[in-house]
Amino acid sequence: MRAIYKATVDADRALSDEALAASLDFTLAQKPSGAGWWVFAYGSLLWNPLFPFDDAKPAMLRGLHRHFCLWSLGSRGTVKAPGLVLGLDRGGACRGVAYRLPASCARAELALLWRREMVVASYKPRWVQVQQLQPGGHSLTALTFVVDRAHPQYAGRLAMSRQAKVLATAQGVFGSSADYLERARVALVTHGVVDPYLETLAAEVARLRGTRPATKSVKSDAAEEGG
């Protein structure tokens, strides 16, 4: 991710190893006492976590919602034709999946995750409470990535028509924004979660592209932004 941003955007936009390490250390210092090593996934981490996990729980996060609110200038778009990726923005609720990292390797795996999600510091890592979706499921403390509204790549609340047009046309190093949308939508469905927002966007993007939404997910080995 850092190499992509250095090559396509700005050599100074990507954080250094030292800055990434400092950000991770600060976040770990805020980890609530007794909390496990859970990561709440709502975007690309749903279909491509690229870290080992020993448990996965569909879960609900309240107070934040999933939204295409972050411009992608490298992975799913370009500087001249930015794409969109998902972030958590204030208000509402979000259903996703909580993954539990093995304690023995959690610190090392989070360092790798930081190189993926925090490469340009467009997110604010936060420890949150999520509620398991299965009957009788208890709450968990999980780490997640909330969009930084002060970041220059924050897109705000674009009209649905604008989101759909961008998603239908933008293309980056890792593929199209439409592919990103479809992977997120299908990954949620495989966990029993149907997001009306993503379903509406997928239908409109398919109409604009003259295609139809896919029914199966294709796993990728590329590490990309977008929670």
Side-chain angles (χ1 to χ4, degrees):
M1 287 300 302
R2 182 163 56 184
I4 288 171
Y5 271 89
K6 282 188 173 182
T8 62
V9 183
D10 183 346
D12 296 325
R13 178 69 62 91
L15 298 187
S16 66
D17 285 340
E18 293 75 17
L20 287 171
S23 170
L24 176 57
D25 288 343
F26 177 81
T27 301
L28 292 180
Q30 310 304 311
K31 184 173 180 283
S33 177
W37 296 101
W38 293 90
V39 175
F40 180 74
Y42 59 87
S44 65
L45 292 178
L46 289 167
W47 77 80
N48 193 26
L50 285 186
F51 53 71
F53 56 91
D54 54 21
D55 203 357
K57 304 283 189 185
M60 169 78 79
L61 170 61
R62 299 191 182 279
L64 295 163
H65 69 283
R66 174 177 30 245
H67 202 77
F68 278 100
C69 58
L70 190 64
W71 294 115
S72 177
L73 307 180
S75 63
R76 297 288 178 167
T78 66
V79 173
K80 291 184 177 180
L84 285 168
V85 294
L86 290 165
L88 285 176
D89 210 347
R90 66 179 65 159
C94 176
R95 289 179 294 170
V97 177
Y99 292 109
R100 184 173 65 192
L101 281 69
S104 61
C105 63
R107 177 64 172 77
E109 291 298 332
L110 287 177
L112 295 176
L113 183 60
W114 245 245
R115 295 174 69 89
R116 164 180 174 168
E117 297 294 329
M118 293 297 294
V119 63
V120 292
S122 54
Y123 296 107
K124 292 183 177 181
R126 186 185 301 178
W127 296 96
V128 296
Q129 289 293 308
V130 298
Q131 181 70 38
Q132 295 182 52
L133 291 178
Q134 65 263 39
H138 56 81
S139 63
L140 303 167
T141 299
L143 175 67
T144 198
F145 296 91
V146 180
V147 71
D148 181 358
R149 286 182 155 220
H151 195 273
Q153 286 172 233
Y154 177 63
R157 292 194 60 82
L158 302 174
M160 288 286 281
S161 58
R162 175 80 184 284
Q163 293 177 58
K165 184 176 181 180
V166 171
L167 292 168
T169 57
Q171 182 87 21
V173 174
F174 290 163
S176 67
S177 287
D179 174 69
Y180 178 103
L181 163 63
E182 193 61 18
R183 289 173 186 263
R185 184 188 74 82
V186 175
L188 282 170
V189 171
T190 63
H191 286 283
V193 175
V194 176
D195 185 333
Y197 164 67
L198 296 186
E199 296 294 326
T200 299
L201 273 176
E204 180 60 15
V205 169
R207 186 189 70 79
L208 291 172
R209 290 166 61 91
T211 61
R212 64 176 60 185
T215 57
K216 296 179 67 177
S217 167
V218 179
K219 187 172 181 179
S220 167
D221 291 327
E224 63 180 287
E225 63 201 331

